[in-house]
PDB file of all heavy atoms in Angstrom:
ATOM      1  N   GLY A  83     -11.230  11.677  -5.830  1.00 91.00           N
ATOM      2  CA  GLY A  83     -11.729  11.426  -4.547  1.00 91.00           C
ATOM      3  C   GLY A  83     -11.294   9.904  -4.063  1.00 91.00           C
ATOM      4  O   GLY A  83     -11.634   9.608  -2.978  1.00 91.00           O
ATOM      5  N   TYR A  84     -10.729   9.167  -4.943  1.00 95.00           N
ATOM      6  CA  TYR A  84     -10.436   7.826  -4.609  1.00 95.00           C
ATOM      7  C   TYR A  84      -8.943   7.696  -4.084  1.00 95.00           C
ATOM      8  O   TYR A  84      -8.066   8.216  -4.671  1.00 95.00           O
ATOM      9  CB  TYR A  84     -10.597   6.915  -5.815  1.00 95.00           C
ATOM     10  CG  TYR A  84     -11.941   6.404  -5.940  1.00 95.00           C
ATOM     11  CD1 TYR A  84     -13.059   7.330  -6.117  1.00 95.00           C
ATOM     12  CD2 TYR A  84     -12.273   5.021  -6.007  1.00 95.00           C
ATOM     13  CE1 TYR A  84     -14.304   6.872  -6.351  1.00 95.00           C
ATOM     14  CE2 TYR A  84     -13.534   4.561  -6.129  1.00 95.00           C
ATOM     15  CZ  TYR A  84     -14.563   5.441  -6.263  1.00 95.00           C
ATOM     16  OH  TYR A  84     -15.887   5.048  -6.461  1.00 95.00           O
ATOM     17  N   ALA A  85      -8.770   6.866  -3.090  1.00 96.00           N
ATOM     18  CA  ALA A  85      -7.462   6.377  -2.725  1.00 96.00           C
ATOM     19  C   ALA A  85      -6.979   5.323  -3.570  1.00 96.00           C
ATOM     20  O   ALA A  85      -7.900   4.554  -4.129  1.00 96.00           O
ATOM     21  CB  ALA A  85      -7.483   6.007  -1.189  1.00 96.00           C
ATOM     22  N   MET A  86      -5.745   5.252  -3.737  1.00 96.00           N
ATOM     23  CA  MET A  86      -5.164   4.053  -4.519  1.00 96.00           C
ATOM     24  C   MET A  86      -4.114   3.389  -3.681  1.00 96.00           C
ATOM     25  O   MET A  86      -3.383   4.029  -2.877  1.00 96.00           O
ATOM     26  CB  MET A  86      -4.420   4.630  -5.770  1.00 96.00           C
ATOM     27  CG  MET A  86      -5.217   5.392  -6.764  1.00 96.00           C
ATOM     28  SD  MET A  86      -6.563   4.452  -7.559  1.00 96.00           S
ATOM     29  CE  MET A  86      -5.591   3.465  -8.648  1.00 96.00           C
ATOM     30  N   GLY A  87      -4.087   2.008  -3.892  1.00 97.00           N
ATOM     31  CA  GLY A  87      -3.132   1.255  -2.944  1.00 97.00           C
ATOM     32  C   GLY A  87      -2.534   0.095  -3.682  1.00 97.00           C
ATOM     33  O   GLY A  87      -3.001  -0.279  -4.875  1.00 97.00           O
ATOM     34  N   TRP A  88      -1.538  -0.449  -3.059  1.00 98.00           N
ATOM     35  CA  TRP A  88      -0.879  -1.632  -3.603  1.00 98.00           C
ATOM     36  C   TRP A  88      -0.857  -2.651  -2.410  1.00 98.00           C
ATOM     37  O   TRP A  88      -0.546  -2.375  -1.320  1.00 98.00           O
ATOM     38  CB  TRP A  88       0.601  -1.399  -4.068  1.00 98.00           C
ATOM     39  CG  TRP A  88       0.691  -0.579  -5.244  1.00 98.00           C
ATOM     40  CD1 TRP A  88       0.825   0.761  -5.469  1.00 98.00           C
ATOM     41  CD2 TRP A  88       0.758  -1.140  -6.565  1.00 98.00           C
ATOM     42  NE1 TRP A  88       0.962   1.078  -6.775  1.00 98.00           N
ATOM     43  CE2 TRP A  88       0.862  -0.057  -7.513  1.00 98.00           C
ATOM     44  CE3 TRP A  88       0.658  -2.404  -7.192  1.00 98.00           C
ATOM     45  CZ2 TRP A  88       0.895  -0.147  -8.870  1.00 98.00           C
ATOM     46  CZ3 TRP A  88       0.658  -2.594  -8.545  1.00 98.00           C
ATOM     47  CH2 TRP A  88       0.732  -1.362  -9.445  1.00 98.00           C
ATOM     48  N   PHE A  89      -1.224  -3.928  -2.812  1.00 98.00           N
ATOM     49  CA  PHE A  89      -1.195  -4.884  -1.912  1.00 98.00           C
ATOM     50  C   PHE A  89      -0.326  -6.160  -2.588  1.00 98.00           C
ATOM     51  O   PHE A  89      -0.156  -6.018  -3.766  1.00 98.00           O
ATOM     52  CB  PHE A  89      -2.587  -5.478  -1.539  1.00 98.00           C
ATOM     53  CG  PHE A  89      -3.376  -4.585  -0.704  1.00 98.00           C
ATOM     54  CD1 PHE A  89      -3.886  -3.300  -1.225  1.00 98.00           C
ATOM     55  CD2 PHE A  89      -3.628  -4.892   0.668  1.00 98.00           C
ATOM     56  CE1 PHE A  89      -4.644  -2.532  -0.420  1.00 98.00           C
ATOM     57  CE2 PHE A  89      -4.381  -4.034   1.413  1.00 98.00           C
ATOM     58  CZ  PHE A  89      -4.917  -2.781   0.910  1.00 98.00           C
ATOM     59  N   ARG A  90      -0.008  -7.022  -1.818  1.00 98.00           N
ATOM     60  CA  ARG A  90       0.718  -8.173  -2.397  1.00 98.00           C
ATOM     61  C   ARG A  90       0.388  -9.571  -1.706  1.00 98.00           C
ATOM     62  O   ARG A  90      -0.087  -9.522  -0.583  1.00 98.00           O
ATOM     63  CB  ARG A  90       2.263  -7.953  -2.313  1.00 98.00           C
ATOM     64  CG  ARG A  90       2.866  -7.942  -0.949  1.00 98.00           C
ATOM     65  CD  ARG A  90       4.348  -7.655  -0.980  1.00 98.00           C
ATOM     66  NE  ARG A  90       4.935  -7.647   0.285  1.00 98.00           N
ATOM     67  CZ  ARG A  90       6.176  -7.260   0.647  1.00 98.00           C
ATOM     68  NH1 ARG A  90       7.013  -6.747  -0.379  1.00 98.00           N
ATOM     69  NH2 ARG A  90       6.659  -7.405   1.833  1.00 98.00           N
ATOM     70  N   GLN A  91       0.503 -10.576  -2.414  1.00 98.00           N
ATOM     71  CA  GLN A  91       0.289 -11.927  -1.906  1.00 98.00           C
ATOM     72  C   GLN A  91       1.256 -12.895  -2.315  1.00 98.00           C
ATOM     73  O   GLN A  91       1.400 -13.125  -3.601  1.00 98.00           O
ATOM     74  CB  GLN A  91      -1.135 -12.377  -2.318  1.00 98.00           C
ATOM     75  CG  GLN A  91      -1.539 -13.757  -1.551  1.00 98.00           C
ATOM     76  CD  GLN A  91      -3.034 -13.859  -1.716  1.00 98.00           C
ATOM     77  OE1 GLN A  91      -3.813 -13.285  -2.630  1.00 98.00           O
ATOM     78  NE2 GLN A  91      -3.646 -14.771  -0.863  1.00 98.00           N
ATOM     79  N   ALA A  92       1.934 -13.431  -1.363  1.00 97.00           N
ATOM     80  CA  ALA A  92       3.048 -14.446  -1.685  1.00 97.00           C
ATOM     81  C   ALA A  92       2.318 -15.850  -1.539  1.00 97.00           C
ATOM     82  O   ALA A  92       1.347 -16.025  -0.839  1.00 97.00           O
ATOM     83  CB  ALA A  92       4.215 -14.352  -0.739  1.00 97.00           C
ATOM     84  N   PRO A  93       2.890 -16.918  -2.262  1.00 93.00           N
ATOM     85  CA  PRO A  93       2.281 -18.225  -2.115  1.00 93.00           C
ATOM     86  C   PRO A  93       2.058 -18.683  -0.721  1.00 93.00           C
ATOM     87  O   PRO A  93       3.024 -18.602   0.113  1.00 93.00           O
ATOM     88  CB  PRO A  93       3.398 -19.051  -2.864  1.00 93.00           C
ATOM     89  CG  PRO A  93       4.043 -18.163  -3.817  1.00 93.00           C
ATOM     90  CD  PRO A  93       4.088 -16.833  -3.061  1.00 93.00           C
ATOM     91  N   GLY A  94       0.987 -19.107  -0.411  1.00 95.00           N
ATOM     92  CA  GLY A  94       0.657 -19.623   0.890  1.00 95.00           C
ATOM     93  C   GLY A  94       0.398 -18.615   2.004  1.00 95.00           C
ATOM     94  O   GLY A  94       0.269 -18.964   3.132  1.00 95.00           O
ATOM     95  N   LYS A  95       0.397 -17.319   1.576  1.00 96.00           N
ATOM     96  CA  LYS A  95       0.215 -16.249   2.652  1.00 96.00           C
ATOM     97  C   LYS A  95      -1.014 -15.468   2.216  1.00 96.00           C
ATOM     98  O   LYS A  95      -1.489 -15.449   1.095  1.00 96.00           O
ATOM     99  CB  LYS A  95       1.500 -15.367   2.685  1.00 96.00           C
ATOM    100  CG  LYS A  95       2.755 -16.092   3.228  1.00 96.00           C
ATOM    101  CD  LYS A  95       3.825 -15.141   3.360  1.00 96.00           C
ATOM    102  CE  LYS A  95       5.074 -15.833   3.930  1.00 96.00           C
ATOM    103  NZ  LYS A  95       6.225 -14.850   4.158  1.00 96.00           N
ATOM    104  N   GLU A  96      -1.498 -14.693   3.258  1.00 96.00           N
ATOM    105  CA  GLU A  96      -2.599 -13.801   3.056  1.00 96.00           C
ATOM    106  C   GLU A  96      -2.118 -12.547   2.288  1.00 96.00           C
ATOM    107  O   GLU A  96      -0.961 -12.177   2.312  1.00 96.00           O
ATOM    108  CB  GLU A  96      -3.190 -13.449   4.367  1.00 96.00           C
ATOM    109  CG  GLU A  96      -3.856 -14.613   5.076  1.00 96.00           C
ATOM    110  CD  GLU A  96      -4.530 -14.190   6.327  1.00 96.00           C
ATOM    111  OE1 GLU A  96      -4.521 -13.050   6.670  1.00 96.00           O
ATOM    112  OE2 GLU A  96      -5.314 -14.976   6.882  1.00 96.00           O
ATOM    113  N   ARG A  97      -3.062 -11.970   1.601  1.00 97.00           N
ATOM    114  CA  ARG A  97      -2.711 -10.609   0.996  1.00 97.00           C
ATOM    115  C   ARG A  97      -2.433  -9.664   2.003  1.00 97.00           C
ATOM    116  O   ARG A  97      -3.134  -9.509   3.117  1.00 97.00           O
ATOM    117  CB  ARG A  97      -3.978 -10.287   0.181  1.00 97.00           C
ATOM    118  CG  ARG A  97      -3.789  -9.065  -0.787  1.00 97.00           C
ATOM    119  CD  ARG A  97      -4.894  -8.803  -1.671  1.00 97.00           C
ATOM    120  NE  ARG A  97      -5.145  -9.972  -2.554  1.00 97.00           N
ATOM    121  CZ  ARG A  97      -6.049  -9.892  -3.585  1.00 97.00           C
ATOM    122  NH1 ARG A  97      -6.635  -8.755  -3.948  1.00 97.00           N
ATOM    123  NH2 ARG A  97      -6.288 -11.048  -4.323  1.00 97.00           N
ATOM    124  N   GLU A  98      -1.341  -8.859   1.778  1.00 97.00           N
ATOM    125  CA  GLU A  98      -0.928  -7.911   2.781  1.00 97.00           C
ATOM    126  C   GLU A  98      -0.806  -6.461   2.119  1.00 97.00           C
ATOM    127  O   GLU A  98      -0.478  -6.320   0.926  1.00 97.00           O
ATOM    128  CB  GLU A  98       0.378  -8.295   3.397  1.00 97.00           C
ATOM    129  CG  GLU A  98       1.577  -8.395   2.476  1.00 97.00           C
ATOM    130  CD  GLU A  98       2.860  -8.590   3.171  1.00 97.00           C
ATOM    131  OE1 GLU A  98       2.969  -8.582   4.453  1.00 97.00           O
ATOM    132  OE2 GLU A  98       3.896  -8.611   2.406  1.00 97.00           O
ATOM    133  N   PHE A  99      -0.976  -5.515   2.952  1.00 98.00           N
ATOM    134  CA  PHE A  99      -0.889  -4.111   2.559  1.00 98.00           C
ATOM    135  C   PHE A  99       0.623  -3.813   2.228  1.00 98.00           C
ATOM    136  O   PHE A  99       1.507  -4.169   2.943  1.00 98.00           O
ATOM    137  CB  PHE A  99      -1.344  -3.173   3.657  1.00 98.00           C
ATOM    138  CG  PHE A  99      -1.144  -1.808   3.336  1.00 98.00           C
ATOM    139  CD1 PHE A  99      -1.882  -1.036   2.621  1.00 98.00           C
ATOM    140  CD2 PHE A  99      -0.090  -1.153   4.005  1.00 98.00           C
ATOM    141  CE1 PHE A  99      -1.693   0.367   2.371  1.00 98.00           C
ATOM    142  CE2 PHE A  99       0.144   0.225   3.849  1.00 98.00           C
ATOM    143  CZ  PHE A  99      -0.573   0.955   3.002  1.00 98.00           C
ATOM    144  N   VAL A 100       0.781  -3.023   1.120  1.00 98.00           N
ATOM    145  CA  VAL A 100       2.152  -2.562   0.831  1.00 98.00           C
ATOM    146  C   VAL A 100       2.243  -1.033   0.942  1.00 98.00           C
ATOM    147  O   VAL A 100       3.050  -0.520   1.676  1.00 98.00           O
ATOM    148  CB  VAL A 100       2.628  -2.968  -0.568  1.00 98.00           C
ATOM    149  CG1 VAL A 100       3.925  -2.430  -0.966  1.00 98.00           C
ATOM    150  CG2 VAL A 100       2.560  -4.486  -0.713  1.00 98.00           C
ATOM    151  N   ALA A 101       1.390  -0.367   0.228  1.00 98.00           N
ATOM    152  CA  ALA A 101       1.468   1.069   0.248  1.00 98.00           C
ATOM    153  C   ALA A 101       0.132   1.702  -0.252  1.00 98.00           C
ATOM    154  O   ALA A 101      -0.659   1.013  -0.924  1.00 98.00           O
ATOM    155  CB  ALA A 101       2.649   1.680  -0.692  1.00 98.00           C
ATOM    156  N   ALA A 102      -0.120   2.944   0.123  1.00 98.00           N
ATOM    157  CA  ALA A 102      -1.304   3.632  -0.344  1.00 98.00           C
ATOM    158  C   ALA A 102      -1.062   5.090  -0.451  1.00 98.00           C
ATOM    159  O   ALA A 102      -0.217   5.570   0.157  1.00 98.00           O
ATOM    160  CB  ALA A 102      -2.537   3.356   0.512  1.00 98.00           C
ATOM    161  N   ILE A 103      -1.910   5.803  -1.275  1.00 96.00           N
ATOM    162  CA  ILE A 103      -1.848   7.192  -1.457  1.00 96.00           C
ATOM    163  C   ILE A 103      -3.186   7.919  -1.565  1.00 96.00           C
ATOM    164  O   ILE A 103      -4.079   7.278  -2.147  1.00 96.00           O
ATOM    165  CB  ILE A 103      -0.903   7.581  -2.650  1.00 96.00           C
ATOM    166  CG1 ILE A 103      -0.583   8.989  -2.817  1.00 96.00           C
ATOM    167  CG2 ILE A 103      -1.580   6.908  -4.041  1.00 96.00           C
ATOM    168  CD1 ILE A 103       0.423   9.358  -3.800  1.00 96.00           C
ATOM    169  N   SER A 104      -3.397   9.027  -0.843  1.00 94.00           N
ATOM    170  CA  SER A 104      -4.669   9.663  -0.945  1.00 94.00           C
ATOM    171  C   SER A 104      -4.902  10.443  -2.135  1.00 94.00           C
ATOM    172  O   SER A 104      -3.938  10.644  -2.925  1.00 94.00           O
ATOM    173  CB  SER A 104      -4.774  10.610   0.279  1.00 94.00           C
ATOM    174  OG  SER A 104      -3.844  11.695   0.137  1.00 94.00           O
ATOM    175  N   TRP A 105      -6.051  10.864  -2.439  1.00 89.00           N
ATOM    176  CA  TRP A 105      -6.353  11.578  -3.590  1.00 89.00           C
ATOM    177  C   TRP A 105      -5.942  13.065  -3.416  1.00 89.00           C
ATOM    178  O   TRP A 105      -5.124  13.520  -4.364  1.00 89.00           O
ATOM    179  CB  TRP A 105      -7.813  11.582  -3.883  1.00 89.00           C
ATOM    180  CG  TRP A 105      -8.285  12.587  -4.850  1.00 89.00           C
ATOM    181  CD1 TRP A 105      -8.938  13.794  -4.494  1.00 89.00           C
ATOM    182  CD2 TRP A 105      -8.171  12.585  -6.309  1.00 89.00           C
ATOM    183  NE1 TRP A 105      -9.099  14.569  -5.824  1.00 89.00           N
ATOM    184  CE2 TRP A 105      -8.729  13.811  -6.759  1.00 89.00           C
ATOM    185  CE3 TRP A 105      -7.660  11.652  -7.150  1.00 89.00           C
ATOM    186  CZ2 TRP A 105      -8.702  14.040  -8.187  1.00 89.00           C
ATOM    187  CZ3 TRP A 105      -7.702  12.017  -8.539  1.00 89.00           C
ATOM    188  CH2 TRP A 105      -8.147  13.131  -8.998  1.00 89.00           C
ATOM    189  N   SER A 106      -6.430  13.771  -2.508  1.00 81.00           N
ATOM    190  CA  SER A 106      -6.253  15.220  -2.404  1.00 81.00           C
ATOM    191  C   SER A 106      -4.913  15.777  -1.969  1.00 81.00           C
ATOM    192  O   SER A 106      -4.375  16.649  -2.534  1.00 81.00           O
ATOM    193  CB  SER A 106      -7.320  15.885  -1.624  1.00 81.00           C
ATOM    194  OG  SER A 106      -7.320  15.307  -0.320  1.00 81.00           O
ATOM    195  N   LEU A 107      -4.362  15.097  -0.863  1.00 68.00           N
ATOM    196  CA  LEU A 107      -3.097  15.598  -0.315  1.00 68.00           C
ATOM    197  C   LEU A 107      -1.925  14.812  -0.732  1.00 68.00           C
ATOM    198  O   LEU A 107      -0.819  15.068  -0.322  1.00 68.00           O
ATOM    199  CB  LEU A 107      -3.265  15.689   1.210  1.00 68.00           C
ATOM    200  CG  LEU A 107      -4.346  16.530   1.685  1.00 68.00           C
ATOM    201  CD1 LEU A 107      -4.414  16.476   3.212  1.00 68.00           C
ATOM    202  CD2 LEU A 107      -4.277  18.015   1.253  1.00 68.00           C
ATOM    203  N   SER A 108      -2.151  13.721  -1.498  1.00 72.00           N
ATOM    204  CA  SER A 108      -1.039  12.846  -1.813  1.00 72.00           C
ATOM    205  C   SER A 108      -0.318  12.357  -0.602  1.00 72.00           C
ATOM    206  O   SER A 108       0.942  12.173  -0.515  1.00 72.00           O
ATOM    207  CB  SER A 108      -0.073  13.515  -2.809  1.00 72.00           C
ATOM    208  OG  SER A 108      -0.703  13.642  -4.010  1.00 72.00           O
ATOM    209  N   THR A 109      -0.965  12.142   0.571  1.00 93.00           N
ATOM    210  CA  THR A 109      -0.487  11.514   1.724  1.00 93.00           C
ATOM    211  C   THR A 109      -0.141  10.056   1.464  1.00 93.00           C
ATOM    212  O   THR A 109      -0.993   9.464   0.809  1.00 93.00           O
ATOM    213  CB  THR A 109      -1.501  11.662   2.959  1.00 93.00           C
ATOM    214  OG1 THR A 109      -1.801  12.952   3.067  1.00 93.00           O
ATOM    215  CG2 THR A 109      -0.798  11.103   4.177  1.00 93.00           C
ATOM    216  N   THR A 110       0.869   9.611   1.862  1.00 96.00           N
ATOM    217  CA  THR A 110       1.283   8.189   1.635  1.00 96.00           C
ATOM    218  C   THR A 110       1.456   7.439   2.888  1.00 96.00           C
ATOM    219  O   THR A 110       1.628   7.889   3.953  1.00 96.00           O
ATOM    220  CB  THR A 110       2.691   8.215   0.877  1.00 96.00           C
ATOM    221  OG1 THR A 110       3.615   8.847   1.685  1.00 96.00           O
ATOM    222  CG2 THR A 110       2.586   8.852  -0.448  1.00 96.00           C
ATOM    223  N   TYR A 111       1.177   6.080   2.687  1.00 97.00           N
ATOM    224  CA  TYR A 111       1.230   5.108   3.820  1.00 97.00           C
ATOM    225  C   TYR A 111       2.026   4.015   3.299  1.00 97.00           C
ATOM    226  O   TYR A 111       1.840   3.507   2.121  1.00 97.00           O
ATOM    227  CB  TYR A 111      -0.246   4.717   4.180  1.00 97.00           C
ATOM    228  CG  TYR A 111      -1.112   5.854   4.405  1.00 97.00           C
ATOM    229  CD1 TYR A 111      -1.862   6.492   3.472  1.00 97.00           C
ATOM    230  CD2 TYR A 111      -1.320   6.237   5.814  1.00 97.00           C
ATOM    231  CE1 TYR A 111      -2.694   7.631   3.704  1.00 97.00           C
ATOM    232  CE2 TYR A 111      -2.214   7.279   6.100  1.00 97.00           C
ATOM    233  CZ  TYR A 111      -2.884   7.979   5.013  1.00 97.00           C
ATOM    234  OH  TYR A 111      -3.765   8.993   5.322  1.00 97.00           O
ATOM    235  N   TYR A 112       2.763   3.329   4.153  1.00 98.00           N
ATOM    236  CA  TYR A 112       3.668   2.199   3.857  1.00 98.00           C
ATOM    237  C   TYR A 112       3.654   1.140   4.944  1.00 98.00           C
ATOM    238  O   TYR A 112       3.460   1.558   6.149  1.00 98.00           O
ATOM    239  CB  TYR A 112       5.072   2.683   3.623  1.00 98.00           C
ATOM    240  CG  TYR A 112       5.242   3.630   2.381  1.00 98.00           C
ATOM    241  CD1 TYR A 112       5.270   4.941   2.632  1.00 98.00           C
ATOM    242  CD2 TYR A 112       5.376   3.103   1.135  1.00 98.00           C
ATOM    243  CE1 TYR A 112       5.483   5.816   1.563  1.00 98.00           C
ATOM    244  CE2 TYR A 112       5.621   3.985   0.085  1.00 98.00           C
ATOM    245  CZ  TYR A 112       5.607   5.387   0.321  1.00 98.00           C
ATOM    246  OH  TYR A 112       5.720   6.202  -0.767  1.00 98.00           O
ATOM    247  N   SER A 113       3.774  -0.094   4.595  1.00 98.00           N
ATOM    248  CA  SER A 113       3.975  -1.085   5.557  1.00 98.00           C
ATOM    249  C   SER A 113       5.345  -0.907   6.084  1.00 98.00           C
ATOM    250  O   SER A 113       6.284  -0.465   5.417  1.00 98.00           O
ATOM    251  CB  SER A 113       3.790  -2.479   4.982  1.00 98.00           C
ATOM    252  OG  SER A 113       4.722  -2.748   3.972  1.00 98.00           O
ATOM    253  N   ASP A 114       5.574  -1.437   7.275  1.00 98.00           N
ATOM    254  CA  ASP A 114       6.944  -1.365   7.857  1.00 98.00           C
ATOM    255  C   ASP A 114       8.007  -2.117   7.010  1.00 98.00           C
ATOM    256  O   ASP A 114       9.121  -1.665   7.030  1.00 98.00           O
ATOM    257  CB  ASP A 114       6.908  -2.030   9.307  1.00 98.00           C
ATOM    258  CG  ASP A 114       6.098  -1.106  10.244  1.00 98.00           C
ATOM    259  OD1 ASP A 114       5.915   0.036   9.936  1.00 98.00           O
ATOM    260  OD2 ASP A 114       5.714  -1.642  11.334  1.00 98.00           O
ATOM    261  N   SER A 115       7.603  -3.174   6.427  1.00 98.00           N
ATOM    262  CA  SER A 115       8.549  -3.932   5.547  1.00 98.00           C
ATOM    263  C   SER A 115       9.079  -3.337   4.429  1.00 98.00           C
ATOM    264  O   SER A 115      10.110  -3.763   3.823  1.00 98.00           O
ATOM    265  CB  SER A 115       7.963  -5.321   5.276  1.00 98.00           C
ATOM    266  OG  SER A 115       6.819  -5.104   4.467  1.00 98.00           O
ATOM    267  N   VAL A 116       8.370  -2.262   3.888  1.00 98.00           N
ATOM    268  CA  VAL A 116       8.780  -1.499   2.668  1.00 98.00           C
ATOM    269  C   VAL A 116       9.214  -0.179   2.891  1.00 98.00           C
ATOM    270  O   VAL A 116       9.778   0.525   1.993  1.00 98.00           O
ATOM    271  CB  VAL A 116       7.827  -1.794   1.542  1.00 98.00           C
ATOM    272  CG1 VAL A 116       7.316  -3.180   1.407  1.00 98.00           C
ATOM    273  CG2 VAL A 116       6.619  -0.791   1.789  1.00 98.00           C
ATOM    274  N   THR A 117       8.945   0.395   4.004  1.00 98.00           N
ATOM    275  CA  THR A 117       9.310   1.753   4.343  1.00 98.00           C
ATOM    276  C   THR A 117      10.796   2.074   4.073  1.00 98.00           C
ATOM    277  O   THR A 117      11.648   1.230   4.459  1.00 98.00           O
ATOM    278  CB  THR A 117       8.956   2.117   5.857  1.00 98.00           C
ATOM    279  OG1 THR A 117       7.572   2.042   5.933  1.00 98.00           O
ATOM    280  CG2 THR A 117       9.416   3.584   6.141  1.00 98.00           C
ATOM    281  N   GLY A 118      11.029   3.116   3.321  1.00 98.00           N
ATOM    282  CA  GLY A 118      12.408   3.396   2.979  1.00 98.00           C
ATOM    283  C   GLY A 118      12.933   2.848   1.738  1.00 98.00           C
ATOM    284  O   GLY A 118      13.926   3.256   1.174  1.00 98.00           O
ATOM    285  N   ARG A 119      12.139   1.808   1.262  1.00 98.00           N
ATOM    286  CA  ARG A 119      12.610   1.066  -0.013  1.00 98.00           C
ATOM    287  C   ARG A 119      11.637   1.293  -1.161  1.00 98.00           C
ATOM    288  O   ARG A 119      12.094   1.385  -2.345  1.00 98.00           O
ATOM    289  CB  ARG A 119      12.751  -0.426   0.270  1.00 98.00           C
ATOM    290  CG  ARG A 119      13.784  -0.712   1.289  1.00 98.00           C
ATOM    291  CD  ARG A 119      14.007  -2.271   1.326  1.00 98.00           C
ATOM    292  NE  ARG A 119      12.861  -2.980   1.772  1.00 98.00           N
ATOM    293  CZ  ARG A 119      12.317  -3.941   0.890  1.00 98.00           C
ATOM    294  NH1 ARG A 119      12.832  -4.253  -0.204  1.00 98.00           N
ATOM    295  NH2 ARG A 119      11.181  -4.574   1.362  1.00 98.00           N
TER     296      ARG A 119
END
């Protein structure tokens, strides 16, 4: 029932969302900067 995600933080910047995936349907979410890669 838990979602899992990846975030990243570069030096001097705030932590930002990268990608996430749901538990049941394996629906995925991506930031615009990584979509397709």
Side-chain angles (χ1 to χ4, degrees):
Y84 274 62
M86 301 291 290
W88 289 94
F89 289 73
R90 67 187 182 186
Q91 188 166 18
K95 295 187 177 182
E96 294 186 351
R97 190 171 298 191
E98 65 172 354
F99 171 81
V100 176
I103 186 166
S104 67
W105 163 261
S106 58
L107 300 178
S108 290
T109 305
T110 57
Y111 305 85
Y112 297 95
S113 69
D114 290 342
S115 62
V116 307
T117 296
R119 300 188 298 121

